[in-house]
Amino acid sequence: MPSKSRYLIITIVSSFMLMGCYELKHVTEFTETSIEALQSYETLPQSFNQICKEDCQLKHVAKFNIHRTQCDCSPEVKADSITNIIYSTSLEYLNGLLAVSDKQLAKYQTADLTTTLSTGNYGPLKLNENDVKAYSTLSSLLLRTFSGINQRKKIKSYVIDGYQPFQQLLTFLELNVHGNIYGKLEVQKQSIKNFYFDHVNNKNLSTYERTKFAEDYFNALNNIEAQQKELDVFSEILSEIKAGHTLLYEHIEGLKNDEVKSGLARLGSRMSLAVRIISDLN
């Protein structure tokens, strides 16, 4: 009898644990989709460093220069490095949210979150006090939540503590990955247009040569616009993740209600579509 009672208790406890996981299944699924969507960052075709090198090379080509063509893009390399850190920390937060919602904390390992960021201008990128504070706060939250001492931290406190800094880091990515790089591509489009204009209108060239220059121009233009389209879609992904996280934050006392479930499902569906679009563009 004692043995049967013990098994009965274990069965009941296990059932409640599984029920708890199932009741937050919509949070888990949304977070999984968010992780996949945010990882689209890793396939984006452009970076500050890449654009810097392309612009530098175009200037050398326009001057028919093939000697001493080194390009100093060290500020852009630093800007990319900072952006990668912000991206990685945002991704780690989502991995943590997945672990909390799925009650699998023991299986979760944090990445290296010991890098220190400082305010300042880094080439095309500006790191302000709010960005640095958000990075520091979110890194501390992750390390604290998944240390051995607080391994059972609940989803409620995790979302509340992480809401503001996570939103700030996503805004940073939106401003720099989409806004700044998109703007630099706009400048690049104009530079390419100016470069090809003289050749297309050079009457000393044959009709074939001028036509070929025109074709090259439109190919280059189409390539840049495809990259901008990809950045647009990535910006939409960031907006959907922010909206979903806001939904969790505003309904933290009622994560199991239908409004949360339907809202997360709708946002998750949009992100899945965005991921497919980026995949097709690649």
Side-chain angles (χ1 to χ4, degrees):
M1 287 297 291
S3 179
K4 290 183 178 180
S5 299
R6 185 171 66 253
Y7 289 139
L8 179 60
I9 292 172
I10 293 174
T11 301
I12 292 174
V13 171
S14 298
S15 297
F16 275 114
M17 290 179 64
L18 289 173
M19 184 179 297
C21 292
Y22 181 77
E23 288 175 343
L24 290 179
K25 183 181 178 183
H26 56 291
V27 178
T28 298
E29 291 176 345
F30 170 78
T31 307
E32 288 175 334
T33 304
S34 297
I35 290 171
E36 180 187 8
L38 186 59
Q39 286 174 326
S40 298
Y41 169 86
E42 298 175 14
T43 67
L44 293 177
Q46 279 293 2
S47 65
F48 290 116
N49 182 39
Q50 183 64 27
I51 291 177
C52 175
K53 290 193 293 186
E54 290 175 356
D55 290 345
C56 179
Q57 290 168 359
L58 182 61
K59 291 177 182 178
H60 288 305
V61 171
K63 296 177 181 179
F64 305 103
N65 177 35
I66 60 173
H67 302 289
R68 294 186 294 277
T69 58
Q70 293 84 357
C71 304
D72 181 16
C73 295
S74 52
E76 285 73 17
V77 170
K78 180 63 176 178
D80 285 334
S81 174
I82 292 173
T83 305
N84 288 339
I85 291 172
I86 299 297
Y87 157 71
S88 297
T89 305
S90 302
L91 186 64
E92 283 298 306
Y93 175 80
L94 288 174
N95 281 322
L97 179 58
L98 178 64
V100 173
S101 67
D102 202 25
K103 300 187 184 298
Q104 297 294 321
L105 297 183
K107 297 181 181 179
Y108 181 75
Q109 297 291 328
T110 57
D112 181 11
L113 299 172
T114 59
T115 303
T116 300
L117 296 181
S118 302
T119 58
N121 294 315
Y122 300 92
L125 182 149
K126 181 179 181 180
L127 203 59
N128 61 43
E129 186 176 348
N130 289 335
D131 299 324
V132 172
K133 183 178 179 181
Y135 167 75
S136 177
T137 301
L138 211 58
S139 298
S140 297
L141 172 64
L142 286 165
L143 293 171
R144 186 173 68 251
T145 299
F146 298 102
S147 65
I149 298 175
N150 295 304
Q151 199 173 49
R152 296 184 179 278
K153 193 171 180 70
K154 302 298 183 180
I155 187 173
K156 177 180 177 180
S157 55
Y158 186 80
V159 171
I160 291 175
D161 292 347
Y163 174 72
Q164 197 60 48
F166 183 58
Q167 295 284 320
Q168 180 68 32
L169 294 193
L170 292 183
T171 298
F172 175 91
L173 290 176
E174 193 167 18
L175 174 64
N176 289 285
V177 176
H178 178 258
N180 283 353
I181 292 181
Y182 190 100
K184 287 185 174 296
L185 288 174
E186 277 296 308
V187 174
Q188 194 174 82
K189 283 162 65 174
Q190 188 59 48
S191 298
I192 290 175
K193 182 178 181 179
N194 293 339
F195 172 77
Y196 282 103
F197 179 83
D198 292 337
H199 297 293
V200 171
N201 290 279
N202 187 350
K203 294 188 176 0
N204 292 323
L205 298 176
S206 66
T207 300
Y208 171 80
E209 289 172 320
R210 293 168 64 188
T211 300
K212 189 67 172 63
F213 275 121
E215 290 177 352
D216 290 344
Y217 164 70
F218 284 111
N219 287 335
L221 180 64
N222 290 337
N223 182 54
I224 293 176
E225 290 180 342
Q227 294 172 1
Q228 289 180 313
K229 172 63 176 176
E230 201 164 338
L231 291 173
D232 281 336
V233 177
F234 184 70
S235 179
E236 293 172 9
I237 286 174
L238 294 175
S239 295
E240 305 295 357
I241 295 175
K242 289 171 69 175
H245 195 248
T246 298
L247 187 63
L248 291 177
Y249 177 76
E250 292 178 346
H251 295 80
I252 197 63
E253 300 293 347
L255 292 178
K256 302 170 187 176
N257 69 41
D258 291 339
E259 181 180 354
V260 175
K261 291 179 180 179
S262 61
L264 293 183
R266 182 173 61 256
L267 293 168
S269 178
R270 291 175 185 171
M271 282 192 288
S272 294
L273 176 60
V275 171
R276 290 196 296 272
I277 292 174
I278 288 181
S279 178
D280 290 341
L281 288 172
N282 285 329

